[in-house]
Amino acid sequence: MAAYLDAWRKTFQYAGRTGRRDFWIFQIVTAIPAGLGWLLYRIGRGSAKVFADAPSPTLVVLGVSIVLVIGLSSFLPFLAVAVRRLHDSDKSGWWLLLLLIPFGGVALLIMCLLPGSSGPNKYDSAHR
C-alpha cells in the first residue's frame, strides 16, 4: 500500500526512477476498482452472460461513474509513475507517446516489464 500512496505523493514529480514493483502495484490497485466499475456497467446493460436480467440504468450510471472518477483522478499519477518507470530503464518519458499509435501500448508494456538499469543512468544516479 505504501508504494501505491507513494505514487500519489509523487504525482508531479517526473524526475527520478520507479522500480517495477512500485509501478505494477500502482497499476493493479488502480485497475481493480476500475474493473469492478466496468463489470457493474456490463451487468447494468444486461450484457454480462452470467446475469441475463433486464437492463438496469442505475448500475450503468454507477459503473460509468466509477470508471470515470478512477480514470480521471489517476491520470496524472499514472503519467508520473510511467515516466519514472521509463527512466528506470534509461529511456525518455517521451516513449509514452507510443500509446497514441496502434499496438504502441504493447511495446510500452514490454518496456515496463523489463528490468531497469542496475547502476546509475542519465535520469538518476541512484543504484537499484
Side-chain angles (χ1 to χ4, degrees):
M1 192 63 170
Y4 179 74
L5 294 175
D6 190 46
W8 280 92
R9 277 190 286 272
K10 295 180 178 179
T11 295
F12 299 105
Q13 181 181 345
Y14 293 90
R17 297 160 74 168
T18 296
R20 279 189 297 184
R21 179 185 156 278
D22 294 347
F23 175 79
W24 287 110
I25 285 174
F26 177 77
Q27 298 301 322
I28 290 169
V29 170
T30 303
I32 290 172
L36 291 175
W38 175 81
L39 185 62
L40 285 175
Y41 166 75
R42 296 280 300 193
I43 292 170
R45 281 191 52 218
S47 57
K49 300 290 185 207
V50 178
F51 305 98
D53 296 339
S56 170
T58 306
L59 286 179
V60 169
V61 169
L62 181 63
V64 169
S65 299
I66 290 171
V67 170
L68 280 175
V69 166
I70 290 170
L72 292 174
S73 66
S74 65
F75 179 70
L76 290 176
F78 162 75
L79 283 179
V81 78
V83 166
R84 290 193 313 269
R85 176 68 195 121
L86 288 169
H87 286 177
D88 192 43
S89 321
D90 206 19
K91 292 179 179 51
S92 170
W94 289 104
W95 282 97
L96 279 177
L97 293 176
L98 284 174
L99 292 173
L100 299 176
I101 62 172
F103 303 108
V106 175
L108 191 62
L109 173 70
I110 292 169
M111 284 186 222
C112 290
L113 286 171
L114 294 174
S117 57
S118 58
N121 64 24
K122 64 183 177 184
Y123 297 102
D124 193 7
S125 61
H127 292 281
R128 295 249 176 225

